[in-house]
Amino acid sequence: MGEMVQMHFTTVDYVIFVLLLVASAGIGLFYAFSGGRQRTTQEFLMADRSMSCLPVSLSLLATFQSAVAILGAPSEVYAFGTQYWFLGCSYFLGLLIPAHVFIPIFYRLRLSSAYEYLELRFNKMVRICGTATFIFQMVIYMGVVLYAPALALNAVTGFDLWGAVLAMGLVSTLYTALGGLKAVIWTDVFQTVVMFAGQLAVIVVGANKAGGIVEVWRKAVNGSRIAGLDLNPDPLERHTFWTLGVGGVFLMLALYGVNQAQVQRYLSSRTEKEAVMSCYVVFPCQQIVLCLGCLMGLVMFASYGEDSPLDKGYVTTTDQMVLYFVMDVFKDLPGLPGLFVACLFSGALSTISSAFNSLATVTMEDLVKPHFPNMTEARATLLSKGLALAYGLVCLAMAYVASIMGSVLQAAFSIFGMVGGPLLGLFCLGIFFPWANPVGAVVGLAAGLAMAFWVGIGSFVMRMSRPPPGPQLNATTLPLFHNMTTTVLSSLSTGPTAKPRPTGVEALYSLSYMWYSAHNSATVVVVGLLVSFITGPMKERDLTPGTVFPVLGTLLFFLPERYKEKLCCITPLALKPKETSSQPYQVAKKDGNGAACCKEDTATGDKELESDRAQTEDEDMDTLTTHTVQETAL
């Protein structure tokens, strides 16, 4: 290996790469011309609510596992060791809470967009604020997801940069705009298999060349890359058990609980039970993905030791290291580099196609339909397809912006992360605190976003103004950028030299990026509750039944009834499992998996519900709940 070597693809590699793109486009075309041919918005945006558990769970996994994560995890482990693996502990609660709190509420309310919930719980203003925040977050993120892997590929192999960006952007736009959510989910399944195959191939061949997996482990132990349980509670430490295992729970909730791209998959399931099961199936898959990423990092360490390609100047940034390693390990095996690049681009394709689809859904359901309630189904479907196409082109434009921004690329990831936490806080405010009112929700969201940008930009500026920690380049490792998680530039690790502990505002700026989601969502909840108390908390009778999860009533069981009544937690507001276990499932079956239960019907139902609620305001709460369930069944 000499100087900054550029390795090149063979014909076989190009063939494998092109086959991936053709297969992905083929799945989209198949769903465009089969079944109901995407003629209704219900089919195009919600896959007819007919998906079974396995494809949904693999799609959830693929949406989460972007190309940037495939490049990020191994270089993280290579530079800092396996401490990162403890993120796996957060998956447990991070998937259990969505399965038993968020999914039942969203599924029973028969939503299409997660932000419809905000209107049912608060009002239209809160819904529009939530939707606008989500669109801003996703548009910025898509450009980066598209550009980052193409840039790394171009630097290491000389693969044409804009050729790669255009191929990915246009193929994913094509199958999303033609085949709808069904095509997105099934291409995700195919792309997940390709991702696993690519990573496994690298680990097997790499470990073999390094002298076997036992030798890899021995070298990792000797190079002190196998991390023990670090129980340091300091929130300023970049990765400890607490930042990863507890801070990570909030990351997972922002991703699996309230992100439209994931919520839409739950809602496309046949039944609530299948939606919950898909969450459970993701758990072991997530652990496998995490282990593969860590193993790949250890195999890289066994191959290069402390002498990283970055130090030698073979590559210029850490996110190129994985690709360099792959090309290096596979240089005598034509076809395998193509497989890994296909694996990398599968990650990017699954991420951006999910983003297009979820953006088309929220724009349609939250911004267009409320203003044009009489729009025909055919026109609405056509408009949804047009929106998916338009977002695809916006994404390509964002990739171009990302190319101009250069090092500000990392700031774009930070912006993505800054928005995830406040959105999680907004949903938690509505779901867990019955007395939170619309004013509190809007002010809380604004405060959360302000806090997020203040801390995020502050830490970015502080790090830019600091002198670099020394010659050890690998210390500035790109943190693992998860697909849809709160991620902000991680603090620069300064190797063995001890640095003084920051104080005051600097300490806030030095907060571990894993705590951002928790910190920002807590800000939304605290400010939202305070403002709600000042402006007059909501009364229990004003709440839409089924929008609050009755956790407070259970936790405050020791309080006298009159205090419970003041705190709005005297009756369980979520539809009771006994009532719903039979009825919504019957509704789903009776309506042809919900296909007949179009958005217009739901909207009319909601209006009737509003007028009924006005008349029966003073009636007993239980009667109202039963009445609503019957109304929904109708």
Side-chain angles (χ1 to χ4, degrees):
M1 300 186 282
E3 310 227 313
M4 171 80 192
V5 224
Q6 244 190 15
M7 310 183 196
H8 293 283
F9 263 29
T10 61
T11 317
V12 187
D13 294 323
Y14 279 112
V15 168
I16 288 179
F17 179 61
V18 169
L19 277 176
L20 165 86
L21 295 176
V22 170
S24 295
I27 294 172
L29 292 169
F30 173 76
Y31 282 105
F33 300 115
S34 69
R37 301 198 181 175
Q38 313 299 323
R39 283 198 188 119
T40 63
T41 45
Q42 187 75 18
E43 188 179 5
F44 182 74
L45 299 174
M46 303 307 299
D48 241 358
R49 298 191 194 265
S50 63
M51 300 307 295
S52 58
C53 161
L54 192 66
V56 169
S57 52
L58 287 176
S59 179
L60 287 167
L61 182 73
T63 304
F64 170 81
Q65 185 65 1
S66 80
V68 195
I70 295 170
L71 293 175
S75 28
E76 161 70 36
V77 172
Y78 177 88
F80 296 110
T82 56
Q83 187 68 42
Y84 188 80
W85 181 82
F86 288 104
L87 181 69
C89 304
S90 70
Y91 294 169
F92 192 66
L93 273 179
L95 288 166
L96 267 181
I97 297 173
H100 295 286
V101 176
F102 295 108
I103 294 178
I105 286 182
F106 293 152
Y107 200 92
R108 291 168 192 182
L109 291 170
R110 310 288 290 163
L111 310 176
S112 289
S113 150
Y115 305 98
E116 274 178 82
Y117 166 82
L118 295 174
E119 183 176 353
L120 287 173
R121 171 64 181 84
F122 297 112
N123 61 18
K124 195 169 240 111
M125 176 70 184
V126 180
R127 175 178 178 174
I128 289 169
C129 288
T131 304
T133 310
F134 172 75
I135 291 174
F136 169 71
Q137 174 191 30
M138 292 308 284
V139 165
I140 283 184
Y141 187 66
M142 283 192 306
V144 182
V145 163
L146 197 53
Y147 180 70
L151 183 66
L153 188 65
N154 167 262
V156 178
T157 65
F159 197 102
D160 182 59
L161 175 66
W162 289 104
V165 168
L166 283 170
M168 278 201 297
L170 294 175
V171 167
S172 51
T173 304
L174 176 79
Y175 74 73
T176 309
L178 289 176
L181 185 64
K182 220 174 250 184
V184 171
I185 289 179
W186 281 111
T187 40
D188 281 354
V189 171
F190 165 66
Q191 287 155 0
T192 308
V193 174
V194 176
M195 275 193 275
F196 278 134
Q199 285 179 298
L200 269 175
V202 176
I203 291 165
V204 171
V205 177
N208 200 25
K209 287 198 172 179
I213 202 79
V214 178
E215 183 64 12
V216 168
W217 187 259
R218 192 188 63 76
K219 284 182 176 172
V221 171
N222 292 345
S224 51
R225 286 299 187 274
I226 306 296
L229 192 63
D230 181 358
L231 291 173
N232 181 356
D234 185 0
L236 308 190
E237 281 295 315
R238 185 164 168 271
H239 284 171
T240 66
F241 172 75
W242 301 112
T243 55
L244 291 161
V246 181
V249 170
F250 291 90
L251 289 182
M252 297 297 290
L253 289 180
L255 172 68
Y256 280 104
V258 300
N259 189 291
Q260 170 65 20
Q262 309 294 52
V263 169
Q264 210 167 321
R265 277 157 183 64
Y266 302 141
L267 299 174
S268 72
S269 303
R270 281 179 207 149
T271 61
E272 185 186 321
K273 195 177 176 185
E274 295 226 15
V276 171
M277 272 309 295
S278 64
C279 233
Y280 276 102
V281 175
V282 168
F283 180 71
C285 299
Q286 285 287 28
Q287 301 292 357
I288 294 168
V289 165
L290 190 62
C291 290
L292 285 178
C294 290
L295 264 176
M296 210 159 133
L298 295 180
V299 170
M300 275 169 68
F301 184 77
S303 304
Y304 297 132
E306 298 288 355
D307 235 4
S308 81
L310 195 64
D311 295 342
K312 289 180 173 172
Y314 295 157
V315 293
T316 48
T317 64
T318 46
D319 52 343
Q320 292 167 10
M321 262 169 55
V322 175
L323 263 173
Y324 176 84
F325 171 66
V326 168
M327 297 299 288
D328 189 20
V329 163
F330 288 160
K331 58 177 176 274
D332 310 323
L333 299 162
L336 286 178
L339 176 67
F340 184 77
V341 168
C343 143
L344 193 64
F345 278 56
S346 290
L349 283 172
S350 59
T351 305
I352 54 184
S353 61
S354 306
F356 298 157
N357 193 263
S358 54
L359 281 164
T361 307
V362 296
T363 310
M364 192 68 207
E365 298 294 340
D366 300 339
L367 304 178
V368 177
K369 277 196 176 175
H371 297 290
F372 302 99
N374 302 323
M375 189 188 290
T376 63
E377 190 59 44
R379 180 166 291 181
T381 310
L382 193 66
L383 183 58
S384 301
K385 292 180 179 180
L387 283 168
L389 185 67
Y391 277 119
L393 300 175
V394 168
C395 169
L396 286 170
M398 278 308 297
Y400 179 68
V401 172
S403 73
I404 300 170
M405 288 198 307
S407 65
V408 190
L409 199 63
Q410 298 182 358
F413 276 110
S414 312
I415 289 173
F416 177 87
M418 292 170 201
V419 176
L423 275 178
L424 171 66
L426 184 62
F427 278 92
C428 288
L429 190 67
I431 288 172
F432 298 117
F433 301 98
W435 60 85
N437 67 18
V439 182
V442 173
V443 175
L445 179 64
L449 286 169
M451 173 65 84
F453 278 90
W454 174 42
V455 174
I457 294 168
S459 65
F460 184 70
V461 171
M462 184 177 79
R463 265 191 284 280
M464 290 297 112
S465 59
R466 250 191 219 158
Q472 227 192 340
L473 261 172
N474 69 358
T476 61
T477 297
L478 234 132
L480 175 53
F481 289 133
H482 264 315
N483 173 8
M484 296 196 173
T485 52
T486 310
T487 312
V488 177
L489 280 166
S490 60
S491 29
L492 294 178
S493 168
T494 52
T497 52
K499 56 175 190 267
R501 187 184 160 82
T503 51
V505 178
E506 246 191 40
L508 193 60
Y509 293 159
S510 309
L511 189 69
S512 165
Y513 73 99
M514 294 298 291
W515 282 114
Y516 272 62
S517 193
H519 177 249
N520 298 336
S521 49
T523 305
V524 175
V525 170
V526 171
V527 172
L529 289 177
L530 282 173
V531 172
S532 296
F533 277 126
I534 294 164
T535 55
M538 276 187 94
K539 297 284 184 289
E540 192 163 358
R541 63 171 182 266
D542 299 335
L543 292 166
T544 308
T547 52
V548 177
F549 190 79
V551 70
L552 274 176
T554 319
L555 289 177
L556 304 175
F557 64 92
F558 52 86
L559 284 181
E561 286 299 301
R562 65 175 189 280
Y563 290 121
K564 275 203 206 169
E565 207 168 334
K566 276 194 175 152
L567 288 173
C568 263
C569 52
I570 200 155
T571 48
L573 293 166
L575 304 180
K576 292 170 191 160
K578 274 179 197 163
E579 295 171 303
T580 50
S581 57
S582 59
Q583 277 178 318
Y585 301 149
Q586 279 171 6
V587 170
K589 285 170 196 158
K590 196 164 59 191
D591 289 343
N593 299 328
C597 170
C598 283
K599 214 57 230 134
E600 284 80 12
D601 303 353
T602 323
T604 341
D606 284 351
K607 279 175 201 153
E608 288 170 25
L609 189 63
E610 288 294 323
S611 58
D612 281 349
R613 205 165 62 239
Q615 292 163 22
T616 53
E617 225 168 48
D618 303 319
E619 283 183 22
D620 181 66
M621 193 65 199
D622 289 335
T623 326
L624 180 56
T625 311
T626 323
H627 178 71
T628 315
V629 175
Q630 287 164 355
E631 189 86 57
T632 317
L634 284 170

mmCIF file of all heavy atoms in Angstrom, residues 595-624:
data_model
loop_
_atom_site.group_PDB
_atom_site.id
_atom_site.type_symbol
_atom_site.label_atom_id
_atom_site.label_comp_id
_atom_site.label_asym_id
_atom_site.label_seq_id
_atom_site.Cartn_x
_atom_site.Cartn_y
_atom_site.Cartn_z
ATOM 1 N N ALA A 595 -59.035 -0.717 4.589
ATOM 2 C CA ALA A 595 -58.935 -0.018 3.305
ATOM 3 C C ALA A 595 -60.176 0.837 3.087
ATOM 4 O O ALA A 595 -60.126 1.921 2.550
ATOM 5 C CB ALA A 595 -58.779 -1.018 2.180
ATOM 6 N N ALA A 596 -61.340 0.291 3.535
ATOM 7 C CA ALA A 596 -62.585 1.028 3.332
ATOM 8 C C ALA A 596 -62.663 2.232 4.256
ATOM 9 O O ALA A 596 -63.336 3.195 3.979
ATOM 10 C CB ALA A 596 -63.758 0.110 3.586
ATOM 11 N N CYS A 597 -61.949 2.139 5.393
ATOM 12 C CA CYS A 597 -61.997 3.225 6.369
ATOM 13 C C CYS A 597 -61.081 4.346 5.898
ATOM 14 O O CYS A 597 -59.998 4.529 6.389
ATOM 15 C CB CYS A 597 -61.539 2.703 7.727
ATOM 16 S SG CYS A 597 -61.288 3.983 8.955
ATOM 17 N N CYS A 598 -61.537 5.061 4.857
ATOM 18 C CA CYS A 598 -60.688 6.087 4.241
ATOM 19 C C CYS A 598 -60.557 7.278 5.164
ATOM 20 O O CYS A 598 -61.303 7.451 6.103
ATOM 21 C CB CYS A 598 -61.270 6.556 2.915
ATOM 22 S SG CYS A 598 -60.965 5.363 1.633
ATOM 23 N N LYS A 599 -59.622 8.150 4.805
ATOM 24 C CA LYS A 599 -59.337 9.320 5.612
ATOM 25 C C LYS A 599 -60.554 10.220 5.723
ATOM 26 O O LYS A 599 -60.805 10.799 6.747
ATOM 27 C CB LYS A 599 -58.189 10.042 4.920
ATOM 28 C CG LYS A 599 -57.209 10.728 5.745
ATOM 29 C CD LYS A 599 -56.533 9.864 6.764
ATOM 30 C CE LYS A 599 -56.614 10.559 8.097
ATOM 31 N NZ LYS A 599 -57.006 9.751 9.160
ATOM 32 N N GLU A 600 -61.323 10.323 4.589
ATOM 33 C CA GLU A 600 -62.488 11.207 4.612
ATOM 34 C C GLU A 600 -63.475 10.762 5.687
ATOM 35 O O GLU A 600 -63.993 11.547 6.443
ATOM 36 C CB GLU A 600 -63.212 11.208 3.248
ATOM 37 C CG GLU A 600 -62.515 12.013 2.176
ATOM 38 C CD GLU A 600 -61.360 11.242 1.549
ATOM 39 O OE1 GLU A 600 -61.261 10.031 1.788
ATOM 40 O OE2 GLU A 600 -60.564 11.852 0.849
ATOM 41 N N ASP A 601 -63.674 9.395 5.734
ATOM 42 C CA ASP A 601 -64.623 8.852 6.727
ATOM 43 C C ASP A 601 -64.154 9.214 8.126
ATOM 44 O O ASP A 601 -64.927 9.601 8.980
ATOM 45 C CB ASP A 601 -64.698 7.323 6.615
ATOM 46 C CG ASP A 601 -65.087 6.878 5.224
ATOM 47 O OD1 ASP A 601 -65.418 7.752 4.394
ATOM 48 O OD2 ASP A 601 -65.059 5.675 4.964
ATOM 49 N N THR A 602 -62.844 9.054 8.338
ATOM 50 C CA THR A 602 -62.305 9.322 9.670
ATOM 51 C C THR A 602 -62.514 10.780 10.019
ATOM 52 O O THR A 602 -62.875 11.129 11.132
ATOM 53 C CB THR A 602 -60.794 9.000 9.702
ATOM 54 O OG1 THR A 602 -60.569 7.859 8.897
ATOM 55 C CG2 THR A 602 -60.318 8.746 11.104
ATOM 56 N N ALA A 603 -62.275 11.642 8.997
ATOM 57 C CA ALA A 603 -62.427 13.076 9.250
ATOM 58 C C ALA A 603 -63.864 13.403 9.643
ATOM 59 O O ALA A 603 -64.120 14.129 10.598
ATOM 60 C CB ALA A 603 -62.033 13.853 8.005
ATOM 61 N N THR A 604 -64.836 12.789 8.903
ATOM 62 C CA THR A 604 -66.237 13.029 9.227
ATOM 63 C C THR A 604 -66.535 12.518 10.627
ATOM 64 O O THR A 604 -67.193 13.174 11.423
ATOM 65 C CB THR A 604 -67.175 12.291 8.228
ATOM 66 O OG1 THR A 604 -66.432 11.967 7.076
ATOM 67 C CG2 THR A 604 -68.372 13.138 7.857
ATOM 68 N N GLY A 605 -66.003 11.324 10.908
ATOM 69 C CA GLY A 605 -66.191 10.720 12.231
ATOM 70 C C GLY A 605 -65.704 11.656 13.315
ATOM 71 O O GLY A 605 -66.342 11.827 14.350
ATOM 72 N N ASP A 606 -64.553 12.287 13.042
ATOM 73 C CA ASP A 606 -63.967 13.187 14.029
ATOM 74 C C ASP A 606 -64.879 14.386 14.271
ATOM 75 O O ASP A 606 -65.049 14.841 15.389
ATOM 76 C CB ASP A 606 -62.603 13.692 13.555
ATOM 77 C CG ASP A 606 -61.537 12.626 13.722
ATOM 78 O OD1 ASP A 606 -61.843 11.597 14.347
ATOM 79 O OD2 ASP A 606 -60.433 12.823 13.217
ATOM 80 N N LYS A 607 -65.475 14.907 13.143
ATOM 81 C CA LYS A 607 -66.353 16.071 13.292
ATOM 82 C C LYS A 607 -67.575 15.700 14.137
ATOM 83 O O LYS A 607 -67.999 16.413 15.032
ATOM 84 C CB LYS A 607 -66.793 16.573 11.917
ATOM 85 C CG LYS A 607 -65.736 17.435 11.249
ATOM 86 C CD LYS A 607 -66.154 17.815 9.843
ATOM 87 C CE LYS A 607 -64.948 18.220 9.013
ATOM 88 N NZ LYS A 607 -65.162 17.996 7.598
ATOM 89 N N GLU A 608 -68.159 14.514 13.808
ATOM 90 C CA GLU A 608 -69.322 14.070 14.581
ATOM 91 C C GLU A 608 -68.940 13.918 16.043
ATOM 92 O O GLU A 608 -69.680 14.292 16.941
ATOM 93 C CB GLU A 608 -69.802 12.722 14.034
ATOM 94 C CG GLU A 608 -70.484 12.835 12.677
ATOM 95 C CD GLU A 608 -70.715 11.464 12.060
ATOM 96 O OE1 GLU A 608 -70.793 10.483 12.823
ATOM 97 O OE2 GLU A 608 -70.800 11.399 10.843
ATOM 98 N N LEU A 609 -67.755 13.391 16.244
ATOM 99 C CA LEU A 609 -67.268 13.145 17.600
ATOM 100 C C LEU A 609 -67.191 14.468 18.359
ATOM 101 O O LEU A 609 -67.600 14.567 19.514
ATOM 102 C CB LEU A 609 -65.880 12.512 17.506
ATOM 103 C CG LEU A 609 -65.271 11.991 18.796
ATOM 104 C CD1 LEU A 609 -66.145 10.875 19.336
ATOM 105 C CD2 LEU A 609 -63.867 11.450 18.538
ATOM 106 N N GLU A 610 -66.706 15.528 17.655
ATOM 107 C CA GLU A 610 -66.560 16.834 18.285
ATOM 108 C C GLU A 610 -67.924 17.344 18.763
ATOM 109 O O GLU A 610 -68.085 17.777 19.883
ATOM 110 C CB GLU A 610 -65.971 17.853 17.280
ATOM 111 C CG GLU A 610 -64.505 17.663 16.953
ATOM 112 C CD GLU A 610 -63.618 17.927 18.154
ATOM 113 O OE1 GLU A 610 -63.936 18.845 18.939
ATOM 114 O OE2 GLU A 610 -62.654 17.184 18.341
ATOM 115 N N SER A 611 -68.950 17.260 17.828
ATOM 116 C CA SER A 611 -70.256 17.795 18.202
ATOM 117 C C SER A 611 -70.876 16.964 19.329
ATOM 118 O O SER A 611 -71.462 17.505 20.259
ATOM 119 C CB SER A 611 -71.172 17.817 16.979
ATOM 120 O OG SER A 611 -71.274 16.515 16.462
ATOM 121 N N ASP A 612 -70.707 15.629 19.231
ATOM 122 C CA ASP A 612 -71.250 14.764 20.287
ATOM 123 C C ASP A 612 -70.616 15.096 21.625
ATOM 124 O O ASP A 612 -71.274 15.103 22.653
ATOM 125 C CB ASP A 612 -70.959 13.295 19.957
ATOM 126 C CG ASP A 612 -71.933 12.758 18.933
ATOM 127 O OD1 ASP A 612 -72.937 13.449 18.647
ATOM 128 O OD2 ASP A 612 -71.700 11.658 18.420
ATOM 129 N N ARG A 613 -69.291 15.389 21.566
ATOM 130 C CA ARG A 613 -68.603 15.626 22.827
ATOM 131 C C ARG A 613 -69.099 16.928 23.460
ATOM 132 O O ARG A 613 -69.235 17.041 24.664
ATOM 133 C CB ARG A 613 -67.094 15.678 22.601
ATOM 134 C CG ARG A 613 -66.367 15.315 23.859
ATOM 135 C CD ARG A 613 -64.919 14.996 23.672
ATOM 136 N NE ARG A 613 -64.200 16.137 23.159
ATOM 137 C CZ ARG A 613 -63.536 16.122 22.032
ATOM 138 N NH1 ARG A 613 -63.471 15.041 21.305
ATOM 139 N NH2 ARG A 613 -62.905 17.185 21.609
ATOM 140 N N ALA A 614 -69.404 17.910 22.596
ATOM 141 C CA ALA A 614 -69.898 19.188 23.118
ATOM 142 C C ALA A 614 -71.217 18.979 23.866
ATOM 143 O O ALA A 614 -71.451 19.542 24.929
ATOM 144 C CB ALA A 614 -70.086 20.161 21.974
ATOM 145 N N GLN A 615 -72.092 18.107 23.276
ATOM 146 C CA GLN A 615 -73.395 17.878 23.919
ATOM 147 C C GLN A 615 -73.238 17.080 25.217
ATOM 148 O O GLN A 615 -73.914 17.330 26.199
ATOM 149 C CB GLN A 615 -74.306 17.085 22.979
ATOM 150 C CG GLN A 615 -74.729 17.878 21.749
ATOM 151 C CD GLN A 615 -75.263 16.952 20.669
ATOM 152 O OE1 GLN A 615 -75.677 15.839 20.970
ATOM 153 N NE2 GLN A 615 -75.245 17.402 19.425
ATOM 154 N N THR A 616 -72.340 16.094 25.202
ATOM 155 C CA THR A 616 -72.306 15.170 26.353
ATOM 156 C C THR A 616 -71.192 15.514 27.331
ATOM 157 O O THR A 616 -70.701 14.662 28.033
ATOM 158 C CB THR A 616 -72.089 13.733 25.871
ATOM 159 O OG1 THR A 616 -70.919 13.746 25.038
ATOM 160 C CG2 THR A 616 -73.244 13.196 25.083
ATOM 161 N N GLU A 617 -70.777 16.793 27.332
ATOM 162 C CA GLU A 617 -69.632 17.182 28.149
ATOM 163 C C GLU A 617 -69.799 16.818 29.613
ATOM 164 O O GLU A 617 -68.862 16.388 30.269
ATOM 165 C CB GLU A 617 -69.445 18.693 28.023
ATOM 166 C CG GLU A 617 -68.005 19.064 27.812
ATOM 167 C CD GLU A 617 -67.883 20.521 27.396
ATOM 168 O OE1 GLU A 617 -68.507 21.369 28.065
ATOM 169 O OE2 GLU A 617 -67.194 20.774 26.437
ATOM 170 N N ASP A 618 -71.028 17.016 30.139
ATOM 171 C CA ASP A 618 -71.211 16.817 31.573
ATOM 172 C C ASP A 618 -71.603 15.392 31.937
ATOM 173 O O ASP A 618 -71.853 15.093 33.093
ATOM 174 C CB ASP A 618 -72.276 17.799 32.098
ATOM 175 C CG ASP A 618 -71.869 19.227 31.777
ATOM 176 O OD1 ASP A 618 -70.662 19.515 31.924
ATOM 177 O OD2 ASP A 618 -72.735 20.029 31.368
ATOM 178 N N GLU A 619 -71.715 14.539 30.921
ATOM 179 C CA GLU A 619 -72.081 13.144 31.233
ATOM 180 C C GLU A 619 -70.915 12.422 31.881
ATOM 181 O O GLU A 619 -69.791 12.871 31.867
ATOM 182 C CB GLU A 619 -72.479 12.423 29.939
ATOM 183 C CG GLU A 619 -73.865 12.800 29.474
ATOM 184 C CD GLU A 619 -74.257 12.017 28.225
ATOM 185 O OE1 GLU A 619 -73.665 10.956 28.010
ATOM 186 O OE2 GLU A 619 -75.143 12.482 27.505
ATOM 187 N N ASP A 620 -71.239 11.252 32.382
ATOM 188 C CA ASP A 620 -70.204 10.430 33.024
ATOM 189 C C ASP A 620 -69.113 10.048 32.021
ATOM 190 O O ASP A 620 -69.403 9.740 30.878
ATOM 191 C CB ASP A 620 -70.887 9.157 33.562
ATOM 192 C CG ASP A 620 -69.882 8.275 34.259
ATOM 193 O OD1 ASP A 620 -69.353 8.688 35.304
ATOM 194 O OD2 ASP A 620 -69.607 7.187 33.737
ATOM 195 N N MET A 621 -67.855 10.065 32.457
ATOM 196 C CA MET A 621 -66.721 9.854 31.532
ATOM 197 C C MET A 621 -66.749 8.472 30.895
ATOM 198 O O MET A 621 -66.445 8.293 29.724
ATOM 199 C CB MET A 621 -65.415 10.042 32.316
ATOM 200 C CG MET A 621 -64.199 10.168 31.446
ATOM 201 S SD MET A 621 -64.305 11.659 30.470
ATOM 202 C CE MET A 621 -63.135 11.268 29.202
ATOM 203 N N ASP A 622 -67.131 7.469 31.661
ATOM 204 C CA ASP A 622 -67.143 6.107 31.118
ATOM 205 C C ASP A 622 -68.113 5.987 29.954
ATOM 206 O O ASP A 622 -67.825 5.353 28.953
ATOM 207 C CB ASP A 622 -67.534 5.081 32.202
ATOM 208 C CG ASP A 622 -66.402 4.932 33.214
ATOM 209 O OD1 ASP A 622 -65.252 5.206 32.810
ATOM 210 O OD2 ASP A 622 -66.676 4.569 34.364
ATOM 211 N N THR A 623 -69.289 6.630 30.129
ATOM 212 C CA THR A 623 -70.297 6.579 29.061
ATOM 213 C C THR A 623 -69.715 7.177 27.795
ATOM 214 O O THR A 623 -69.894 6.650 26.706
ATOM 215 C CB THR A 623 -71.550 7.416 29.471
ATOM 216 O OG1 THR A 623 -71.720 7.287 30.864
ATOM 217 C CG2 THR A 623 -72.773 6.965 28.708
ATOM 218 N N LEU A 624 -68.973 8.295 27.974
ATOM 219 C CA LEU A 624 -68.381 8.982 26.822
ATOM 220 C C LEU A 624 -67.380 8.083 26.104
ATOM 221 O O LEU A 624 -67.386 7.986 24.882
ATOM 222 C CB LEU A 624 -67.687 10.264 27.297
ATOM 223 C CG LEU A 624 -67.006 11.101 26.206
ATOM 224 C CD1 LEU A 624 -68.003 11.454 25.122
ATOM 225 C CD2 LEU A 624 -66.413 12.363 26.798
#
